[in-house]
Every structure is written in C-alpha cells, then in structure tokens.
Amino acid sequence: MDNLFNRKYIIQGLFILVALILLGTLFYIQVASDKYFLSAESNVLRKLYTFPARGVILDRNNKVLVQNEPVYDLMVIPNQVKEFDTMALNNIIGIDMKRFKKSFNKATVQSRYQPSIFEKQLSVQIYAALSEQLSRFPGFFVQSRTVRYYPDSAAGHFFGYVKEVSKKDIELSEGYYRPGDYIGKAGIEKQYNEVLRGEKGIINMLYDARNVPKGSYAEGKFDTLARSGEKVVSSLDFRIQKLGEELLKNKVGSIVAIEPATGEILAFVSSPGYDPNLMVGRNQGNNYMDLINLDKNPNRVFNVRPIQGYYSPGSSFKPLDALIGLQEGVIDPNTTFNCPGYFMAGNHRVKCEHVDGNISLRKGLARSCNVYALYVFQKLLKQKKFKNERIAYDAWQQKVSKFGLGQKLGVDLPSEKPGILYTSEHYNKKYGNRWGNTTVISLGIGQGEMDATPLQMANIMAIIANRGYYVKPHLIKAIGEKRVIKKEYAIKNYVGVDARHFEPVIDGMQDAVNAPWGTARQSAIDNILMCGKTGTVQNPRGKNHSVFIGFAPRDNPKIAIAVIVENAGYGSTYAAPIASYIAEKYLKDSIAVNKRAGVEWMKKQVVLPVPKKPKPKLKPIQVDSLKKDSAHKALTTPVKILPAPAHIPAPAAVKTGISTVKPIIPTK
C-alpha cells in the first residue's frame, strides 16, 4: 500500500512539474520575450529590409568610376490598403490609373499580406513630396535603397549593369534574394556580384494607426545593420579607356591593352558602346529595348567585342608562326626565301602584296611578306619527324594553343568566347585523309579557319613582350581594404618557346613601326621604340578589317595592345595610329603636339558597315537624253576627300614600303 501511495504522489508531482514548465514557457513567449512578438503578424509592426550600397569601383589610379545614389521604393501590403484618393497618389509619383491597377494587381497576386514593390526607384524629390502625404495612403510605405551612377558615362561593357532579380535568381540564392531585389546581370557587376552586393539589414519599424512610422521597435534591439559591398580596384587606366572610346566613336571594333608583366587590362573598349547610366532607373527597361533594336542600333551594342568578337588574326599572326618555326628549327634568323609576289600551294596561288625577292625573317616581318610566312608554315607541316602532315598539323595546333588561341583565357568577365582553332579531326571529317599543308595553307598568314578575340591578340603581344610567358588577363587587381588579389593572377604561363628566339622576331616588329620600309612607320612614337604588326584582315561580309597588335617600349614593356577597326581597310590607316595614340598617352601622359590634329581627325571619322538592302524590282523606264546627261554627270562627279593630318597617310597613293595604299577618307 505504501508503494502505491508513493507512486500516486510521484505521478501527481510530475504532472504539476510539466504544467509549471508549460505555463512558464507560455508566459515567456507572451509577456517576457519580445522575440516572439516580433515574429507575429501585426498591423503596426513591419519588417523593413535595409539595402546596402554596392561596392565602389575605382580605376588603377584610384579615380572613382562608379558611385551610388539614393532612391526609394514605394511598397504596399494589399491587405492593409483602405479606401483612399488614388489620383492624389498617382499625381505625386507620376503614374496613370492604368499603371496603378497593374502594379496593385501584381502586388496582390504576389501576396496580400507581405509587402511588395508598388513603384520602384522614386527620386529624392518625389520621396520628399510623398513622405508628407504618406498618412493619406494606408497600406503604403517607403523603403530606401541605392542605385548605380557612372560619372563618366563610359566603359559600359566593362561595368555591365544591375537589374531586378528573376525567379531563377531567387531560387539559386538560397534565400538571400526576394522579389524586387537587384543583382549584377553583366560585366564586372555580374562577375563580382557577391563581393559588390554587401549584406542586407533589417529594421523592425513601428507604425501608428495613421500609417506614420514611429521608429524602430525596442530602440533597435532586434535590428541588424546593412553591410556595404567591398571596394574594388580595377586595372583600367581611365585616361586611355576614355581616349579609346573617343577614337572608336562611329566605328565598329575593339581596343584591348594589357600590362604585360601583370596581365592587368589597362583598356577594354568595345564599339559601339553605350552609356551605362541608361541601364539605371525607372526607364531601364525602355532604354534596354531601344539599345537592342537593330533598326536603331544595327551593330549590336551589347556585343562585348573584346571577348566575344571573332576575327581572323591575319598578318598579326605571322610573329607567332615565326616563333614556332624558330623553336622547331625549320628556320633561323638568317633563313631566306624568294618572294616573286605570290606563293604556290599546289595549283593554288596565294598573293603577296609586293615582290620582295630574297627576304629573311626580320624584313619579312617588317614588310609583312605573305610568302615568307607561308614557307615557314609549310616547313612546319613537312617535318620528317612526323609520320604524316596531319600528325604534324596537330603538333602545330597544340603549340599555337599554348599562346591562348582556340580556348578561353579565363578573364574575369562572363561570356568569354574561345575563338576557333581546329584539330586535325575537323579536317579529317571534312576531307577524309586526303588533305595536307596546301589544304590549310591560309592558316600560315592567320586566315582560313582560325578566329581570335581581340583579348587573345593582345595577350599574344604580352607573351612576346615578356619573351615567352603571360599572366592570365584580368580586370580587377584588388578587392576590399586588404586589397586581396586572386592567386591565379600571379602565375606565369609559359608557351614553350625559348627566350632567345623572341629577339629576332621583335627585331622585325620593331622595324615594322620604326624602319622606313615598315608597314606602320607613320605610327612611330618619339623617343619610344614601339614594336608591332599591322594586319589587313579579309572579311567575307564587306571591306577588310584594319588590325594592329604591338607593345612598347621594346625593353621593359609597359603596354601590349590590340586594335581592330571593322571594315576600315589597311591596318596602317586606322588601327596602327589608334594604337600609337593609346600607347603614347599611357607612357607619356600626353600626345605630341604634331599628332594632336591626327587624334581629332580620327575621332571624327565615320567607318560603319553599310547594311545591304534588297534591290527593288523596277520596271524598265524610258529616259530622255536630257535626263541621261544629268544622271551621267551625277555619277561621274568626283567625291570630295578631306585632307588628313601630316602624320596620317594622305588619301592619294602613299608608299609604305610594301605596296601602294589608298585609304578612303569619308566625306562629311
């Protein structure tokens, strides 16, 4: 009996203990603790997110390239909206009734009980007017954020843009992003988004019955602060970036400049460009549609040509092939070939721009001799150590790929393209086993089935400037106050060519710019030895492209550069002078007085591809003799040609040491 009596009290005691625990917990939840109160739905307590300022972006000289400006989002909780003067609200924020209904319906579909963006990115002026009247509009409140501002209105392809998150962005963010948030969508803004975005904060804001904010609950005890994004230092030198964009205005093309020793990209110009400020604010969507409208912008503004444009390297490939020839021992600096003005590849004749007679490596590069380059390529594919020319081709292709052709270089930007450099498998499928050096002979002069991006061309110049290696090209050199640098941007990538072989190739490139017979003689820089190579690249869709690649100075190089101007003809006419101006500006911080007229002339030139229009089908008509005479006179009247500055080849025939060049200067 005693045992039963004892058990009874033990069980009762346990029940009492459990009841006390439950009561204590309930008291703590409902009375003692604010934590649970804050998580409850309330008409007077709202959780407001505070958005951090995105990280500032600087150029290499600490010039501020990107700033932040305050804007305000008008938020709405549909379930809390009561009858109010809708026209008064519309007038303040500048929308019509159709826009009001669309925004309110969208918010209602998203959630009747959670806040949604009703109208985004209101200006400071609109916010000031709205905040005075906000108590008239129950269910509406304002939250602040910042948007990007680009003070120089340049380098749009480098920066990219920030845009509202998509459903997919939200799903992939692991709970970080909510509808109405913003994320980097292109360029550096996308590549370094997690560094630039910062961390959101939370304010538990109390509102009274009149929808007037009364301050943070519990004096901010449960709030969290927003943390701004990291400061980012880019590798750009904005002096030459801005100059490059001005020189390529009203032209289609690209400029990429690299510091050879570090791989830091000094200039990243894609033309046509766009003002990055157009991709900010309430009109972002309309501006975007205008920019992609091919009727208004037929040359595809959002094509990032430095890393996405495909161009045959043309004559600018010849130094690379010469280096491989020297490394393989099929030529030496004194090897000569006879140039009769053409090269016979089987029964196919490849034209050279001139007759050089017996010519060696140095002069062959300076004069851009096709015959010399094709003999080198042929010798590489006919080496006896290979079983057949197809195996020799693969060995050649692998050596070329070490220079970065046919593969992505891994630049810190999204959507880089690899270019084109086929293996023998491609030609085996195309021709069976019935092909050899004569089938692919055009590759020896950078034509045929080979395409490179401007970044790859500039990187080849960095390799030659460094005498055999490159550091992976990149656009960001330091992150945050600690100036963190990614380890991959400090590794030297060697290309398998001995340093001693670079000097004779550089000799030829030096003469191309500085010798009287050089193809880019007009682009020499006073007191600086610039080494380079012009290219006139065949274009199946119109006039040839003007190309120049080079570096300066010869010893201890500071800048390697590639310039491409589409449909501009000879490399010496447009690309080489532009490269010279950029290099001189970077190295001297000024351009010689006698060249400044040339700079202004280049800025004004319009070199745009002419879109082909279908020929209209017209019925034959009778033309009287008077009309015939008028038509003949109109067709035979000479076109006015503007005079070019002294250091630019004149419109008349000009001897360059290679061939007669007749640049066309557009009339006004």
Side-chain angles (χ1 to χ4, degrees), residues 484-497:
V484 175
I485 300 174
K486 291 186 177 181
K487 293 181 180 179
E488 62 190 289
Y489 298 140
I491 298 172
K492 294 180 178 180
N493 301 279
Y494 287 89
V495 297
V497 176

Side-chain angles (χ1 to χ4, degrees), residues 475-526:
L475 284 153
I476 298 302
K477 61 179 296 183
I479 298 172
E481 295 299 328
K482 296 181 179 179
R483 300 182 70 85
V484 175
I485 300 174
K486 291 186 177 181
K487 293 181 180 179
E488 62 190 289
Y489 298 140
I491 298 172
K492 294 180 178 180
N493 301 279
Y494 287 89
V495 297
V497 176
D498 298 339
R500 62 189 174 91
H501 294 311
F502 285 86
E503 295 308 320
V505 170
I506 291 172
D507 287 340
M509 295 176 63
Q510 176 182 314
D511 287 354
V513 180
N514 300 280
W517 55 83
T519 58
R521 179 68 187 91
Q522 303 288 344
S523 300
I525 304 173
D526 292 340

